[in-house]
Amino acid sequence: MAITARRRIWGWFFFDWASQPYNTLMLTFIFGPYFAEVAKAHFIGQGLSAEAAGAAAQSYWGAGQTVSGVAIAVLAPILGAIADGSGRRMAWIWFFSACYVLGSWGLWYLLPEAPDLFMAMALFGLGLIGMEFATIFTNALLPGLGHPDELGRISGSGFAFGYLGGIIALATMLVLFAEQGGSGRTLIGLAPGLGVLDPAMREGTRAVGPFTAIWYIVFMVPFFLWVREPGRSTSGRGLAESLAGLGRLLTTLPRRQSLFAYLMSSMFYRDALNALYGFGGVYASGVLGWSVTKIGIFGIVGAISAALATWIAGRIDSARGPKPVIVGSILVLIAVCCVIVGMSREAIFGMPFAEGSALPDRIFYVCGALIGAAGGTIQSSSRTLMAFHAAPDRATEAFGLYALSGKATAFIAPAVITAATVVSGSQRIGIAPLIALFLLGLALLIWVKPWGERQA
């Protein structure tokens, strides 16, 4: 059966569909809050107060992501250079897919009592590294999927399709598996896993690990069947030559003002966005006292807004360029961070809520919708803008550099959140450094050309 251009694009879309649950279920809405609950209870058992235990749980979660970020930062430029030299991407996608599956499956073993927090963070980091590096290599395929005028639409549609998959995966977890509060029942009152899983041991919620792994295995089938690498020369460069080429590229960056400014800008705002995703569910659990199920509903709201926004923004991107979409998205995310820092269960910016008010919950639901919409559009248009800075015959090298800029400092946001949380003893104040990171990214966009180096 011939692999048409349309089928290649749809196969490429399926990576977003297959991998999205790691962000939606693991990082943000199911496993992240579950980890926070388990870790908080563990630290309370060690004699900490509830507030101090919540801060300790957030710090542990942040420290784990910091370690993963450092590993990604060290490996990203090396693997990008290897891929650029050899032209082989699919083999690396297979390898990191295995890391994704093993890491996510293993999270089943984080028990609610006597939890092994270190093992859980190690496995979570393995899966996260797998997802991030598989994404690097699939992003490098984007420039070959269509005409430059179509890339914004393709990228936006891919993200929208991925978010749709995330919605379905999250809804499935809430309806069939994750226990709601202390009821031992799912969102619609079913026994977890239709009665097969033990709610007392939180097996419904812990099933998020195997569920995420199986989802990825099933929906990566179209990707591996329909996506092919561009033809490559059989005389691929060796590791030393590839790394030397990367070094030469890095030394020329200051002379390419738009590309250099864009890589620096995206380094800051992508780091802040990833941290906002990673800590959103932990914040809702620790500050607002939300259950995993309630956080999951919050996730569905965010994913629906993300799917709609990225589909629409992809059209705007193709018509007007990706830069205006990125600027608007950053402004929205800064506003959301200000609200999160200024709001507790009792008050917002010093103005008290009525006792028992549902207003904090409603405000945070709106924040979730805005995070989903702005976060989705900024990722989609960032991918397009990088493609516009890439020479057609050096796409892998360019996206390797994009990965380097995105991951070389991926540990900064979790680290500063951890530090701010420890120093202040407050989960709310711990989010404040993200505002500065978003502002830095916004300021650096001044020197970025709206259509990248296409207009040079």
Side-chain angles (χ1 to χ4, degrees):
M1 180 172 60
I3 300 176
T4 63
R6 181 179 177 83
R7 187 166 286 159
R8 276 191 73 214
I9 292 172
W10 272 100
W12 188 78
F13 285 171
F14 264 98
F15 174 79
D16 282 332
W17 178 288
S19 62
Q20 181 60 32
Y22 209 94
N23 288 308
T24 305
L25 302 183
M26 306 293 281
L27 185 62
T28 308
F29 299 116
I30 301 293
F31 181 76
Y34 171 68
F35 180 91
E37 287 182 18
V38 170
K40 182 177 180 179
H42 172 72
F43 289 124
I44 288 175
Q46 293 184 336
L48 296 183
S49 67
E51 184 175 2
Q58 178 164 293
S59 298
Y60 202 104
W61 180 248
Q65 290 189 59
T66 299
V67 173
S68 298
V70 170
I72 292 168
V74 171
L75 293 173
I78 298 172
L79 294 181
I82 293 172
D84 184 51
S86 68
R88 299 190 63 179
R89 304 184 192 97
M90 297 301 287
W92 288 105
I93 295 173
W94 275 102
F95 173 77
F96 286 112
S97 292
C99 294
Y100 179 112
V101 170
L102 290 173
S104 55
W105 192 290
L107 295 174
W108 163 263
Y109 298 101
L110 179 62
L111 304 177
E113 299 178 0
D116 189 337
L117 300 180
F118 178 82
M119 181 199 72
M121 285 310 308
L123 288 168
F124 181 85
L126 176 65
L128 183 63
I129 288 170
M131 181 198 69
E132 293 287 0
F133 277 113
T135 301
I136 289 169
F137 291 106
T138 55
N139 280 349
L141 299 170
L142 173 61
L145 293 177
H147 188 273
D149 290 339
E150 301 174 313
L151 296 188
R153 179 179 55 80
I154 292 171
S155 182
S157 296
F159 267 104
F161 188 60
Y163 279 117
L164 179 61
I167 294 166
I168 294 173
L170 181 55
T172 302
M173 276 298 304
L174 293 176
V175 169
L176 296 180
F177 296 99
E179 300 90 355
Q180 183 177 13
S183 68
R185 296 279 172 171
T186 70
L187 181 63
I188 61 172
L190 298 176
L194 301 178
V196 175
L197 302 176
D198 182 4
M201 293 300 294
R202 301 297 299 277
E203 289 185 349
T205 300
R206 288 161 48 204
V208 67
F211 177 85
T212 299
I214 293 170
W215 179 281
Y216 186 86
I217 291 169
V218 170
F219 290 112
M220 279 297 283
V221 171
F223 177 88
F224 286 119
L225 286 178
W226 297 341
V227 176
R228 294 290 182 270
E229 296 183 68
R232 65 178 187 273
S233 169
T234 57
S235 57
R237 298 193 300 272
L239 174 60
E241 187 179 353
S242 298
L243 290 176
L246 177 63
R248 288 191 296 271
L249 176 62
L250 291 172
T251 61
T252 64
L253 271 180
R255 297 196 294 272
R256 298 173 66 178
Q257 184 185 77
S258 180
L259 175 59
F260 184 64
Y262 174 59
L263 291 173
M264 294 297 293
S265 171
S266 68
M267 180 176 70
F268 289 115
Y269 71 66
R270 283 191 288 160
D271 191 17
L273 177 62
N274 289 333
L276 191 57
Y277 283 150
F279 286 89
V282 176
Y283 170 92
S285 174
V287 175
L288 300 180
W290 282 13
S291 66
V292 169
T293 302
K294 195 168 186 177
I295 294 169
I297 297 171
F298 168 84
I300 291 177
V301 171
I304 290 173
S305 69
L308 292 173
T310 49
W311 186 83
I312 295 169
R315 272 69 187 162
I316 298 172
D317 186 326
S318 286
R320 299 185 178 275
K323 183 177 175 179
V325 178
I326 295 171
V327 170
S329 299
I330 292 176
L331 292 173
V332 170
L333 291 167
I334 290 172
V336 168
C337 286
C338 290
V339 171
I340 291 175
V341 171
M343 187 179 72
S344 67
R345 171 59 69 185
E346 293 78 27
I348 182 168
F349 300 119
M351 296 179 289
F353 295 117
E355 187 175 351
S357 173
L359 193 54
D361 302 313
R362 293 170 185 167
I363 292 173
F364 200 60
Y365 273 122
V366 173
C367 288
L370 292 174
I371 291 170
T377 56
I378 201 173
Q379 291 180 89
S380 172
S381 291
S382 293
R383 184 162 63 181
T384 308
L385 190 52
M386 187 64 239
F388 288 164
H389 280 94
D393 60 340
R394 313 271 309 258
T396 309
E397 179 182 71
F399 273 94
L401 192 59
Y402 182 68
L404 169 61
S405 74
K407 303 306 174 188
T409 59
F411 57 90
I412 288 181
V416 295
I417 288 177
T418 300
T421 302
V422 170
V423 170
S424 67
S426 168
Q427 288 184 259
R428 289 191 304 109
I429 303 303
I431 300 297
L434 298 187
I435 298 173
L437 293 177
F438 280 127
L439 286 171
L440 280 171
L442 186 63
L444 287 165
L445 283 175
I446 293 171
W447 292 277
V448 178
K449 296 176 182 178
W451 292 88
E453 294 182 345
R454 285 180 59 193
Q455 62 188 32

